[in-house]
């Protein structure tokens, strides 16, 4: 049973944990090359940009390690997707962050120093859940074989990032 103090602390803490979430990829991105490339590219640009911010804003070595890992892996998955698109005869659109992703970046840039790590890791979980759904769907039903292979090769990294973010979030919540 929660004490009144614990209940009040939870209620007052809840707004601080409220945050924006990345938008889901459009359904056609699950099977069509151009929408897939746009959604995957946007996801990678968000991951790289948010992680660059984390490198400058976080004071937590584990968060900085994670951010460095994300920058490297998402740069690699972007390059792999671009090569696969070229091999499949598809011209990839330049990835552009939509308003929802720009709002996530703004949220990170404006976060109070004491809230930054929780916010950054909190954003990474739904971002990687969305990326996992996109990469899985396209790897199974995409219309360009080389891009299906690239999506499949991205899956272990996305899964790893998701598990790491969930583990860090649990540790942060326990503090």
């Amino acid at each position: 049973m929660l004490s009144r103090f614990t209940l009040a602390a939870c209620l007052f803490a809840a707004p601080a944990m409220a945050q924006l979430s990345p938008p889901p990829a459009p359904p056609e991105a699950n099977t069509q090359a151009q929408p897939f490339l746009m959604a995957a590219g946007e996801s990678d640009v968000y991951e790289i940009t948010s992680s660059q911010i984390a490198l400058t804003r976080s004071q937590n070595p584990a968060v900085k390690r994670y951010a460095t890992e994300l920058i490297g892996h998402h740069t690699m998955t972007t390059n792999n997707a671009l090569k696969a698109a070229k091999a499949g005869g598809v011209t990839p659109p330049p990835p552009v962050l939509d308003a929802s992703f720009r709002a996530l970046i703004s949220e990170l840039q404006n976060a109070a120093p004491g809230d930054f790590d929780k916010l950054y890791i909190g954003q990474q979980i739904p971002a990687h859940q969305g990326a996992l759904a996109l990469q899985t769907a396209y790897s199974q039903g995409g219309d360009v074989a080389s891009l299906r292979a690239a999506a499949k090769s991205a899956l272990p990294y996305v899964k790893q990032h998701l598990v790491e973010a969930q583990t860090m979030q649990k540790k942060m919540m326990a503090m």
Side-chain angles (χ1 to χ4, degrees):
M1 181 165 188
L2 293 175
S3 71
R4 284 185 204 172
F5 175 78
T6 304
L7 182 58
C10 289
L11 291 174
F12 288 112
M17 295 307 294
Q19 64 189 30
L20 303 172
S21 291
E28 59 272 14
N30 294 332
T31 57
Q32 298 173 21
Q34 287 292 341
F36 168 75
L37 286 166
M38 183 61 103
E42 185 173 44
S43 175
D44 280 346
V45 168
Y46 162 74
E47 294 299 343
I48 292 165
T49 304
S50 66
S51 295
Q52 289 169 335
I53 294 167
L55 289 178
T56 63
R57 301 259 349 252
S58 179
Q59 298 302 310
N60 183 328
V63 171
K64 286 186 172 204
R65 249 186 325 275
Y66 180 72
T68 300
E69 177 182 286
L70 263 59
I71 292 168
H73 288 165
H74 286 283
T75 299
M76 179 190 63
T77 58
T78 295
N79 291 336
N80 289 346
L82 293 174
K83 288 177 193 171
K86 185 176 180 181
V90 178
T91 302
V96 178
L97 294 179
D98 74 5
S100 298
F101 278 107
R102 289 192 310 270
L104 291 167
I105 295 299
S106 179
E107 189 177 46
L108 289 173
Q109 291 170 328
N110 296 318
D115 296 335
F116 180 82
D117 290 340
K118 287 181 181 178
L119 181 64
Y120 170 70
I121 295 301
Q123 284 186 3
Q124 297 310 308
I125 293 171
H128 281 90
Q129 288 168 334
L132 182 59
L134 174 66
Q135 298 287 353
T136 299
Y138 195 86
S139 72
Q140 295 171 351
D143 59 352
V144 176
S146 57
L147 282 174
R148 281 194 313 270
K152 186 174 183 179
S153 73
L155 287 173
Y157 298 105
V158 176
K159 288 176 185 176
Q160 174 187 341
H161 298 164
L162 177 57
V163 169
E164 289 174 349
Q166 290 168 329
T167 300
M168 280 194 281
Q169 185 179 57
K170 287 177 186 172
K171 287 180 183 177
M172 289 177 183
M173 295 300 186
M175 297 172 103

